[in-house]
Amino acid sequence: MAAVLPLEPSTATGKQAQARRAPKQQGFSFGKYREIIIAVAFFLLFDLGVLVLNFYTSFKIDQDTVAINLAGRQRYVSQRIARTLLELDAARVADKPYKPETLAELRAGAKVFDISAAAFKEGNVVPGGDGKPVFLQPVTSERGRALEAQVDAVWKPYFQKLQPLLASDKFTPEDLAGALAYSQANNIKLLNIANDFVTETQQIGASRASTLRMVQTGGIVLALLNFAFILFKFLNRLKTSDAAIEAATEENREILQSVREGLFLITPDFKIGSQLSQSAHGLFGRTLTPGQDLFSLLAPLLPDKALADARDYVQLLFAPHVKEALVQGINPLSEVEAVMKNRLGQEVVRHLSFHFNRVQEGAGVRHLLVTVQDISARVELERKLQSERQRSQKEFSMLLKAIDADPAMLRQFVARAEQNLLEVNDLLRSTSSAQGETAILKRIDEARRRVHAVKGDAATLGLDTIAAQAHQFENDLDRIRQGGSAGGDLGNALLALPLPLEDLLNKIGSLKSLTGLQKPVADLAVSGEAINGVLARLAEDIARDAGKRVQPAITMSAIADLPPDASDLVREIAVQLVRNAVTHGIEAPISRTGAGKPEAGAVTVQLLRGETEWTLSVRDDGAGLSAPRIRRKLVEIGWYTAQQLESFDDRQIVAHIFKPGFSTAGGVTMHAGRGVGLDVVQANVQKLGARLLLGSTPGEYTEFKVRFAA
């Protein structure tokens, strides 16, 4: 009979007082439940009796099955003996030698028949149908014994006639003729007796099966009648108890429906009590049921380690010798993140806090009162504060790196980045006047080139915050470009970008204030050694992020002799080609060692001045350009079909690496995957009035050369 669960006070002291005021439960009374106990005892007795009879009858049926199978085998063996005698006689008439396999079959059949016939009379171990030994019980029925005597009367003379053939291969024709004559005279008789014996064994098995069914039916009927009696008595007692329980719990129900926290009790075996607050269901996002295991409920919400810790903690609280106040601070469920569905069926993340208080009775702990609160708003506020602190730390770290950077390079970066971002802003603002989707897409590509250049410049100076923000801005441009190609409104979509662009400009403005930039950039001098250093560091940073190793060799000192405009273009080209070389050219260490190369790839950058022209060379000893791979990528991204590419030679295929939006990378990362880097290179080569030369051998190297007038 279920016990009434009164609503306990929220403190341990109150619970103890409530427990002292509650009347003591009466001890177990045999007289009160005498009828039910006796009925249950009979029920168990019936079940035990049926079970014992089932085991015994099933054992006998198994033995009968063996007898049926072996009786059938006797019938088959008798036919096999007769057939082999005919085959031997046919060989004798044809004056051919007897086949060894025929003699072996005759001897095996005679041996099996003789052993089995003896076992049916006395019982013995015989070979089963699968060749494994089985114990054959003797036939005990009156008809079975009579049939065995008939078999014995026919078989013994038959077996004697077969002895010369069984003992040796040198038997006489007279021996064969005698055995064959006896076989032909008595085979039908022996077969009929064997058939009758099979029928007898089957009838014995059917009789046992019928007995088993009767026993089972009788036992089940008695058990059902007994169960009906138990159910009747139980329902009568339950009806009487329900009225008292309903009256005692009505006040608790009203209170539990009104509180906002999840409240319920758990027993020492971690089962939820019968009284739960209405809010508990909503906090868990599912209907809780009394008797449900608390840790089964928490299992989807916690990793295995946290679930085990929570179980240990709750067990500690149920130990009366452990001070409750001392273990409150190690509660592993003080904050739990849970993913559940709201009323609209949408998944939402909630943060729940569990607190446990003891409900004591005397010196023992009877229950734990569990209080569940939704602390999502507090956790969200803490995360926002933490995110803001991290952002501030990153910006502070960026400012420290900016202070350590080469002053001239930093000032040039600030000027170039500000100019590029303002031009991007102008491009976005002018989209409303552009006619057609093609024109807008061209503006997007130009904006992507400029933002990509800002990202590359920031990465060379170690300004990771600005590089990451520029990378995110590229994501936004890519998303708008892809959405526009599917029929979206490109012009309106671009108007949604001023906020991230303004944030980037604000960061550039902070750096501008830090540098105290006042004089024109043309008056600043950037040393060639500084360019060499930042390019080498850029190559090493990209390699580290990609899990590669690289040994850069940078010789760009002559860049200081170029005019400012040309110097900026050459530097941007070098940055993008170094990024491309490390990301796409240099292989992973394991691939390089497998190809017989050093683990660290070589990236060589040179700027040389000739008599009539300058040459910028960027070379890596990586995987080289693979025309088949580029061809597959063009089909994969849907630019061409395989049939369209059949007319392209390898040179035309490789030329697509300079197209905006084309990349052989598997996915978009900070350093690759957008198809913008070589697009920036080609645009700057055109602005420089230069020529771009490309050389590559698969598996050996890739080299870009930019030649322009001195």
Side-chain angles (χ1 to χ4, degrees), residues 383-589:
R383 287 184 176 179
K384 287 181 179 179
L385 292 174
Q386 180 65 20
S387 176
E388 188 63 24
R389 282 196 296 268
Q390 291 176 352
R391 186 185 67 81
S392 300
Q393 290 173 355
K394 287 181 179 180
E395 292 188 359
F396 182 71
S397 177
M398 181 192 71
L399 292 176
L400 291 178
K401 288 184 178 180
I403 292 173
D404 292 338
D406 182 84
M409 290 190 65
L410 180 62
R411 291 182 180 182
Q412 285 191 358
F413 164 73
V414 169
R416 286 191 303 268
E418 186 176 45
Q419 179 182 351
N420 280 329
L421 293 177
L422 289 175
E423 290 175 355
V424 169
N425 186 53
D426 291 340
L427 286 169
L428 299 181
R429 293 178 60 186
S430 63
T431 51
S432 59
S433 61
Q435 298 297 320
E437 182 176 304
T438 302
I440 297 177
L441 289 176
K442 288 179 65 176
R443 296 175 186 271
I444 291 177
D445 288 338
E446 180 61 30
R448 292 168 74 218
R449 281 193 289 269
R450 295 182 184 277
V451 174
H452 196 77
V454 171
K455 183 174 77 172
D457 286 345
T460 59
L461 293 175
L463 304 178
D464 298 335
T465 302
I466 292 179
Q469 204 159 344
H471 181 74
Q472 181 58 44
F473 195 75
E474 284 186 287
N475 286 341
D476 296 337
L477 289 172
D478 284 348
R479 185 167 55 252
I480 293 173
R481 194 181 194 280
Q482 293 168 4
S485 63
D489 188 344
L490 283 170
N492 290 334
L494 286 172
L495 294 178
L497 295 175
L499 287 178
L501 181 59
E502 182 181 0
D503 196 16
L504 262 175
L505 282 168
N506 288 337
K507 285 187 171 54
I508 298 299
S510 299
L511 291 177
K512 184 176 181 180
S513 300
L514 178 67
T515 58
L517 183 60
Q518 294 178 348
K519 54 183 178 180
V521 178
D523 296 337
L524 299 175
V526 177
S527 67
E529 288 73 15
I531 295 290
N532 294 341
V534 295
L535 284 179
R537 186 181 66 184
L538 176 65
E540 292 168 350
D541 290 346
I542 297 173
R544 182 180 60 254
D545 292 345
K548 302 177 181 180
R549 294 182 58 191
V550 67
Q551 288 183 343
I554 315 296
T555 310
M556 291 275 293
S557 300
I559 196 172
D561 298 332
L562 289 173
D565 291 343
S567 174
D568 285 348
L569 293 173
V570 169
R571 179 194 47 76
E572 281 190 4
I573 292 172
V575 168
Q576 300 302 331
L577 290 179
V578 167
R579 293 167 70 93
N580 184 78
V582 178
T583 303
H584 296 286
I586 300 300
E587 311 97 322

Side-chain angles (χ1 to χ4, degrees), residues 119-141:
F120 273 116
K121 290 190 298 181
E122 304 295 337
N124 204 344
V125 176
V126 298
D130 56 358
K132 297 181 179 180
V134 295
F135 184 78
L136 180 62
Q137 292 282 353
V139 176
T140 57
S141 69

